[in-house]
């Protein structure tokens, strides 16, 4: 049993330096600023918003992302996220959960059960999935309403979805529309490749391409059924960070919906896009220094692959020391992280924003001693946070004010 899970509440009111390590620390003021900013952008544009809840999978952050019920739909990547979010359905602030993976048979009975409590929507990108829905539908008695589905469009990330030019796309649309088991609610894309953007212009271009791609796909349906109301769902955290630049004008029958998930916390991957500042990162990992090695100018901490993840970005290593950004986790094994000196263009940028206690040529033995606590910025908040059982939520002074327990499992 994880120690924090049993004892987290006893840390409320205490400084983070007293936390057990490794621990995940969340800044509530930063989370609040990040979520408010996006809600304002969405409001100004007059579009709807569907947060993805896969990053900080918990009731408290999801409630914040929804603006306390101002927006009432989410997208999830696991069944467990729908189960967790049912608390918000019971609170009366959530109506719709989109299961974000293309549907496969094993998930269907679970989703059917969950659909007794909340409207569940499915993602489709293959005619075989329609067969599966029909088989399930045929066995059902009494018959449920047809599944409300999004057709997944690939706008360049080549993970899931059909390209708009694929001859399979119009066929799939027709197949769904003629099925008693499904009805098209909208068209959805996730521009994972937007993470390669390094300027606002580049991210805005990906956003425009997303809208154009799903809009084009939707036209296959609208050309057949001109009065059909359709949702066009676009987004990712980098494109959400520039959503205010959106200029597209869409036919009246198309409702534009933005989705994004990582933006409440951000991370080094998001800072690397240059669309957010280092101070907009709400997530840090606290670790202990376990040893120092002057001969190789390195130190050992108790946060390795499990506590941090093997994700990378333009920032060197697997995590950067917050107050000494030239030091980062250069190598890892399961529970060991090696801090080494790795000055780079990106770490210089961090230093400009956050300052640094270190100067060039610093020795590990003068920077760290056994028992020091280090705080690290992480490369990818979604994967790192999935490893932790408790989120320690702090104020501006890094005093723990709340503890949030995330939804775990699949
Ligand atoms: C299907 C889908 N939609 C939306 C998102 C949210 O993207 P981001 O985390 O960049 O905000 C993700 C994230 O992986 C996703 O898989």
């Amino acid at each position: 049993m994880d120690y924090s899970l049993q004892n987290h509440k006893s840390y409320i009111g205490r400084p983070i330096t007293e936390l057990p390590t490794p621990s995940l620390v969340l800044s509530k003021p930063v989370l609040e600023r990040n979520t408010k900013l996006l809600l304002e952008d969405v409001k100004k544009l007059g579009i709807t918003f569907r947060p993805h809840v896969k990053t900080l999978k918990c009731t408290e952050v999801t409630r914040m992302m929804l603006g306390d019920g101002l927006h009432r739909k989410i997208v999830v990547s696991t069944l467990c996220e729908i189960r967790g979010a049912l608390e918000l359905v019971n609170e009366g602030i959530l109506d719709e959960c989109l299961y974000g993976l293309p549907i496969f048979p094993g998930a269907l009975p679970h989703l059917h059960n969950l659909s007794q409590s909340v409207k569940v929507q499915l993602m489709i990108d293959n005619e075989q999935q329609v067969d599966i829905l029909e088989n399930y539908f045929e066995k059902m008695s009494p018959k449920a309403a047809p599944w409300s589905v999004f057709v997944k469009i690939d706008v360049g990330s080549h993970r899931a979805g059909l390209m708009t030019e694929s001859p399979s796309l119009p066929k799939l649309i027709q197949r769904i529309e003629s099925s008693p088991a499904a009805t098209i609610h909208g068209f959805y894309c996730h521009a994972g490749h937007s993470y390669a953007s390094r300027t606002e212009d580049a991210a805005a271009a990906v956003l425009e391409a997303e809208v154009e791609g799903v809009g084009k796909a939707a036209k296959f349906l609208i050309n057949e059924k001109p009065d059909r109301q359709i949702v066009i769902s676009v987004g990712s955290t980098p494109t959400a960070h520039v959503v205010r630049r959106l200029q597209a004008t869409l036919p009246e029958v198309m409702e534009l919906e933005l989705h994004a998930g990582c933006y409440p916390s951000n991370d080094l991957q998001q800072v690397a896009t240059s669309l957010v500042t280092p101070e907009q990162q709400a997530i840090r990992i606290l670790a202990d220094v376990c040893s120092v090695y002057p001969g190789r100018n390195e130190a050992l901490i108790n946060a390795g692959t499990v506590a941090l993840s093997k994700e990378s970005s333009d920032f060197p290593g697997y995590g950067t020391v917050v107050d000494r950004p030239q030091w980062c986790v250069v190598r890892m094994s399961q529970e060991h992280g090696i801090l080494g000196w790795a000055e780079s263009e990106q770490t210089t940028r961090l230093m400009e924003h956050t300052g640094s206690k270190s100067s060039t040529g610093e020795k590990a033995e003068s920077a760290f001693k056994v028992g020091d606590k280090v705080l690290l910025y992480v490369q990818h908040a979604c994967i790192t946070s999935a490893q932790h059982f408790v989120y320690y939520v702090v104020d501006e002074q890094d005093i723990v004010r709340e503890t949030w327990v995330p939804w775990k499992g699949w």
Side-chain angles (χ1 to χ4, degrees), residues 47-66:
I47 60 176
T48 61
F49 182 50
R50 180 187 295 271
H52 200 307
V53 302
K54 69 184 274 268
T55 306
L56 298 167
K57 305 180 187 208
C58 65
T59 317
E60 294 83 354
V61 175
T62 306
R63 193 186 287 116
M64 228 183 247
M65 293 163 99
L66 289 170

Side-chain angles (χ1 to χ4, degrees), residues 29-304:
V30 178
L31 282 178
E32 285 174 338
R33 280 197 288 276
N34 291 343
T35 46
K36 193 165 160 249
L37 195 64
L38 192 53
L39 288 173
E40 283 169 2
D41 283 347
V42 160
K43 188 174 169 195
K44 275 186 216 138
L45 286 165
I47 60 176
T48 61
F49 182 50
R50 180 187 295 271
H52 200 307
V53 302
K54 69 184 274 268
T55 306
L56 298 167
K57 305 180 187 208
C58 65
T59 317
E60 294 83 354
V61 175
T62 306
R63 193 186 287 116
M64 228 183 247
M65 293 163 99
L66 289 170
D68 272 323
L70 185 66
H71 300 278
R72 307 179 63 86
K73 48 192 177 179
I74 59 172
V75 49
V76 306
S77 53
T78 60
L79 295 167
C80 134
E81 291 156 40
I82 305 185
R83 291 189 201 105
L86 288 182
E87 200 178 324
L88 300 170
V89 175
N90 295 336
E91 277 178 28
I93 65 165
L94 174 64
D95 302 330
E96 262 179 41
C97 299
L98 166 62
Y99 184 65
L101 256 78
I103 188 63
F104 56 95
L108 211 46
H110 300 282
L111 289 163
H112 182 212
N113 273 345
L114 289 163
S115 71
Q116 311 303 308
S117 310
V118 64
K119 179 171 179 184
V120 173
Q121 294 156 319
L122 307 180
M123 200 76 92
I124 301 257
D125 67 358
N126 191 307
E127 284 192 60
Q128 291 175 31
Q129 295 146 357
V130 187
D131 295 341
I132 286 155
L133 296 187
E134 286 178 352
N135 290 339
Y136 192 82
F137 190 76
E138 267 163 32
K139 289 183 202 134
M140 227 189 268
S141 169
K143 299 275 179 261
W147 289 99
S148 161
V149 304
F150 277 89
V151 178
K152 184 91 188 259
I153 305 300
D154 177 2
V155 290
S157 60
H158 306 326
R159 190 177 66 174
L162 287 173
M163 310 281 287
T164 46
E165 57 273 18
S166 163
S168 304
L169 180 60
K171 276 177 67 200
L172 177 64
I173 293 169
Q174 271 180 4
R175 174 83 176 81
I176 300 171
E177 282 297 284
S178 59
S179 170
T183 178
I184 295 178
H185 181 77
F187 292 81
Y188 188 106
C189 69
H190 168 60
H193 59 297
S194 66
Y195 279 62
S197 307
R198 292 292 174 264
T199 60
E200 280 210 6
D201 285 350
V206 178
L207 179 64
E208 294 298 332
E210 285 186 274
V211 178
E212 196 189 316
V214 279
K216 205 164 150 193
K219 285 207 179 108
F220 286 116
L221 179 60
I222 287 166
N223 289 345
E224 298 287 312
K225 300 181 179 172
D227 296 331
R228 186 64 182 276
Q229 294 291 317
I230 283 295
V231 173
I232 298 293
S233 194
V234 301
S236 64
T237 289
T239 53
H241 283 143
V242 295
V243 71
R244 68 193 86 85
R245 299 211 10 198
L246 194 65
Q247 291 190 336
T249 41
L250 291 168
E252 257 184 37
V253 289
M254 291 189 197
E255 171 190 317
L256 186 62
E257 166 187 293
L258 179 75
H259 52 250
C262 187
Y263 71 96
S265 68
N266 291 313
D267 49 30
L268 292 172
Q269 289 186 351
Q270 298 301 336
V271 178
T273 64
S274 86
L275 305 172
V276 291
T277 63
E279 296 87 341
Q280 284 175 280
Q281 293 174 96
I283 179 172
R284 291 164 298 164
I285 297 296
L286 183 77
D288 262 290
V289 174
C290 309
S291 195
V292 183
Y293 308 97
R296 51 183 156 96
N297 203 31
E298 290 178 340
L300 176 71
I301 58 169
N302 65 336

Side-chain angles (χ1 to χ4, degrees), residues 54-55 306-311 380-388:
K54 69 184 274 268
T55 306
V306 176
L308 295 170
S309 93
K310 271 195 173 161
E311 290 284 294
H380 191 169
C382 311
I383 298 178
T384 299
S385 57
Q387 310 298 332
H388 292 261

